[in-house]
Amino acid sequence: MKVDTKLNTKPEAAVKTGADILVESLLEQKVETIFGYPGGAVLPIYDALYRSDGDFEHILTRHEQGAIHAAEGYARVAGKPGVVIATSGPGATNLVTGIADAMMDSLPLVVITGQVATSVTGTDAFQEADVMGITTPITKHNYQVQSSYELPKVIKEAFHIASTGRPGPVVVDIPKDISANLCTETDQSAFHLPGYQPTIKPNPLQIKKLTEAIKKSKKPLILTGAGVIHGHASDILLEIAEEYSMPVTSTLLGLGAFPGQHDLFLGMAGMHGTYTANMAIAECDLLINIGARFDDRLTGNLNYFAKNATVAHVDIDPAEIGKNVPTDIPIVSDSKAALAELKKQLKEGPDHSEWMDQLNQNKMAYPLWYNNPPEEMVPQWLMKSLYHATRGEAIVTTDVGQHQMWAAQYYSFGRPNRWVTSGGLGTMGFGFPAAIGAQLAKPEDPVVAVVGDGGFQMTLQELSVLQERGLPVKIIIVNNGALGMVRQWQEAFYDKRYSESIVGVQPDFVKLAESYNIRGMKIETQQEFTDIIHEVMAYDGPVLMDCRVLQQENVYPMIAPGKGIHEMVGVKP
Amino acid sequence: MKRIITAVVQNRSGVLNRVTGLMHKRQFNIESISVGRTETEGISKMTFVVHVEDHQKLEQLTKQLNKQIDVLKVTDLSDKAIVARELALIKVVSNAHHRSEIQGMIEPFRASIIDVSKDSLSIQVTGKPDKIEALIDLLRPYGIKDIARTGLTAFARGHQPQVAEMTTYSLLK
């Protein structure tokens, strides 16, 4: 029966609507998965999707924010643009957080929003919002399609812009009449963007300067950012670091760019980075930043950041170079191309055995640490145990906050594109929908959403998607009954005035999971966790683990706001 | 410091919003902005006069502008030999016996009277911003009713002097 209805709704082969053109254009871009939510202004698009049955997998999230975070998770893991469709007005404004998040963390997204028909644009029509105005500051680029003629070209440009250079979100706003009306002619010509020509090859002379700086250096340090991952430069970075035995630290988003268990890896740097990594930044004489943007959570007080170092900065976005930290050797390039050129030119490494000894001593003397009473559920222990139980192979997604920092500290990523976290914008509610996207990108790989009890409650409606799709995402709620990082700052900087950060009332997460036909379990002791985690990971379906952890645990070490990178508190005594 | 920056842009909807939005976001203070079409169809030129704190900020501004997809070329004209002009329309209170006095006063500025009414005169003046300021100061005692200024627009002179000569040519130093 279904087939018949479909046949009846199909327009004549030669006559297409703008929405059909859109669907064709998406197919041309090899889009396989779309995250979205229908609504008035995208009815023609959803009708075209319906007719194109089977060409795409459309994931109906239960909130537009879920759709866009899922698309972000998909983009991070798959390494290609995540595609989102939402309707005009509230549909589009619900995407705003995710678009801003993707902008900050350089994730490629193509976001298609419906818009009211051109005949009523500007009249405050039903579900009209100025999507172009709203998204301009939080997109790499945005388009409002003016005619179906230009639609194919706009989509081509949107995918190109989103996925090349420094990746980012691109919004394509399509008025309803343009997607609904039949169109006879479209512009199939190739696009040309004279104002967008990213520099991807390094200037060899700049690389030569870097080789000389490396040769002279006694205390070199490599800092990896997400640019290493976007540029697929992990392998060549490992070769160079190993050949010249250079130590490596990472930003939050660069985790996985260099193997976390490697002897040369010092751990993450920054506000909650390791003692060894932060002291290395404070004391190094050459800092080679590859694809990190010197964010304030990394640098701390800029007056103390790498102040004795020659700073080299490889970035595909020239605007990041010199933005926060004065740079001696700027290299505008794709990370892989820059490292390939460096490998070619570098003949002689630094003489830095003393430096390596010092770093290794620091590593031994001041590792990450926590008190671990075995009868309690300690969140750091939880992350470490998760790492061991999954042999470091899982794709881990998180929200923002304490659980995020513990995951970053104790889940040691061996390879890139396994770590999906909201870094720049620090978005609560990101982790769970992002895990859905990650699982769709890698259906065979274990995916664990490590979320806080606060953040999970911001997007838990997406449990429906797990139920519907049977996606085997494992949700670990690091449940401390508090907004942990807020609580920690109130403890440290607001004299323990826990204003609105202790959340006594919460749902029964196990029953909640069960109401979606998802296996749920409450975990209160280390033993319970150890007993069941292997079974959970092996289970071919979604599982929610409500892990009740100690509320008063804090993330250490810590650089207090305004302090220098060497001024850590909570270092192992 | 005050800088004159031009941006050649694709004439697309939203481009002005994108450019001014980024200046707002990064806290650059725009003193004036003028936009117009160029000799090439579909290409416009924006001229900004902005206040920036230091060279690092200035570098950020040009880099951020360059990053915009619809921005084709960004030029900082401040240290070049340039021709820079602004146009102002000034409406001054005047009755019959002030008219000739004003007329005589504006003549050295090569300004012209473009509208006369019973109790006012409208004057058009073109030139560098300081010249326009000077004229406005002179006219102020008569009572200024309205001012409309276009903002500065500028481009580099056909011949650029050698570095050593530059300071004498620079508009803003």
Side-chain angles (χ1 to χ4, degrees), chain B residues 93-105 116-121 142:
Chain B
V93 180
S94 87
N95 48 32
H97 50 267
H98 277 142
R99 231 167 258 156
S100 58
E101 189 180 326
I102 292 175
Q103 199 154 15
M105 199 165 64
V116 181
S117 74
K118 200 162 70 214
D119 54 0
S120 75
L121 269 182
Y142 297 92

Side-chain angles (χ1 to χ4, degrees), chain A residues 109-348:
Chain A
L109 296 182
V110 173
V111 179
I112 294 158
T113 52
Q115 184 54 275
V116 299
T118 48
S119 55
V120 292
T121 304
T123 63
D124 300 319
F126 176 64
Q127 292 193 329
E128 180 178 6
D130 176 11
V131 172
M132 292 295 283
I134 292 169
T135 61
T136 293
I138 52 168
T139 48
K140 186 169 172 187
H141 198 54
N142 56 4
Y143 294 89
Q144 187 170 61
V145 180
Q146 307 293 328
S147 69
S148 49
Y149 175 78
E150 65 171 37
L151 194 50
K153 207 171 184 175
V154 166
I155 296 295
K156 274 187 235 168
E157 286 184 10
F159 275 84
H160 177 72
I161 292 168
S163 58
T164 55
R166 179 180 180 179
V170 178
V171 165
V172 181
D173 197 37
I174 308 180
K176 188 175 182 180
D177 51 330
I178 289 173
S179 56
N181 291 349
L182 298 178
C183 68
T184 46
E185 201 193 348
T186 54
D187 182 2
Q188 296 293 343
S189 63
F191 61 85
H192 173 57
L193 296 166
Y196 178 66
Q197 305 290 332
T199 307
I200 51 173
K201 291 267 179 278
N203 180 341
L205 294 174
Q206 292 298 95
I207 299 286
K208 184 157 184 282
K209 274 191 203 161
L210 178 56
T211 61
E212 279 156 14
I214 290 174
K215 216 187 314 179
K216 276 200 306 217
S217 167
K218 301 274 181 233
K219 297 176 174 181
L221 179 66
I222 296 172
L223 169 70
T224 62
V228 177
I229 298 170
H230 288 302
H232 309 286
S234 290
D235 291 343
I236 191 160
L237 172 69
L238 181 63
E239 285 172 33
I240 293 172
E242 282 186 337
E243 187 170 350
Y244 299 100
S245 180
M246 286 196 281
V248 179
T249 182
S250 178
T251 65
L252 177 70
L253 288 179
L255 291 175
F258 192 81
Q261 292 291 312
H262 200 285
D263 282 345
L264 290 168
F265 191 61
L266 309 179
M268 179 175 75
M271 182 173 268
H272 294 295
T274 64
Y275 178 85
T276 314
N278 286 341
M279 290 309 284
I281 287 179
E283 291 173 12
C284 66
D285 66 4
L286 171 64
L287 181 63
I288 307 168
N289 170 359
I290 306 165
R293 61 183 176 87
F294 286 134
D295 168 74
D296 61 88
R297 284 297 190 267
L298 171 80
T299 61
N301 186 329
L302 285 166
N303 295 329
Y304 303 101
F305 184 81
K307 65 172 192 232
N308 302 318
T310 301
V311 175
H313 187 170
V314 178
D315 209 302
I316 199 159
D317 179 358
E320 288 303 341
I321 298 179
K323 184 178 83 177
N324 296 335
V325 173
T327 302
D328 305 289
I329 309 173
I331 300 169
V332 180
S333 171
D334 166 73
S335 55
K336 193 174 188 174
L339 287 170
E341 182 67 25
L342 178 64
K343 190 171 151 61
K344 201 173 88 187
Q345 289 197 25
L346 194 58
K347 300 283 179 250
E348 195 183 328

Side-chain angles (χ1 to χ4, degrees), chain A residues 41-53:
Chain A
V42 287
L43 279 169
I45 296 175
Y46 273 84
D47 195 47
L49 286 174
Y50 187 81
R51 292 194 300 268
S52 78
D53 190 27

